[in-house]
Amino acid sequence: MVSLLPGSARLYAMMGRPVSSLGLKIDNVRSAWSDTGGQRVLQVDGVIINQSSGEVSVPPVEIALQDKSGKQLSQVTTRVLPLGAGAKSPFRVEIPGAPETVSSLKVRFAKPK
């Protein structure tokens, strides 16, 4: 859909289902707090899905930590290997020392520089 209507990527992102123009989708994002070595750690995981018919290089995945007002507190980035047609790849990021005031996450593909 995004390759036919490039403007639809923004609509998918607004619905919490980011899709890149390359046919990639971020899905099943979950987060949980844990204690590791006496330090609070925020774990974020999810799945990247290649919805295209060919291999795709996956842009870095950005995870923005936000407070109750939506203000960004910090951001981390992770990389995912290229994906073949229809392939899925899980990702997991552990964020030690994440601010306790985190109330939401925004997970998206990094914009090309």
Side-chain angles (χ1 to χ4, degrees), residues 2-70:
V2 175
S3 61
L4 296 174
L5 298 168
S8 66
R10 184 172 179 205
L11 178 61
Y12 279 101
M14 288 172 34
M15 295 185 308
R17 299 203 170 270
V19 175
S20 76
S21 59
L22 299 172
L24 297 169
K25 176 181 168 184
I26 300 172
D27 204 14
N28 296 327
V29 174
R30 295 180 309 258
S31 64
W33 288 97
S34 66
D35 289 312
T36 303
Q39 185 175 27
R40 295 272 293 160
V41 175
L42 179 61
Q43 285 185 340
V44 180
D45 59 8
V47 177
I48 306 298
I49 303 169
N50 178 359
Q51 298 178 313
S52 76
S53 59
E55 183 172 298
V56 175
S57 292
V58 180
V61 176
E62 295 177 342
I63 302 163
L65 309 179
Q66 300 176 322
D67 67 11
K68 288 180 183 177
S69 69

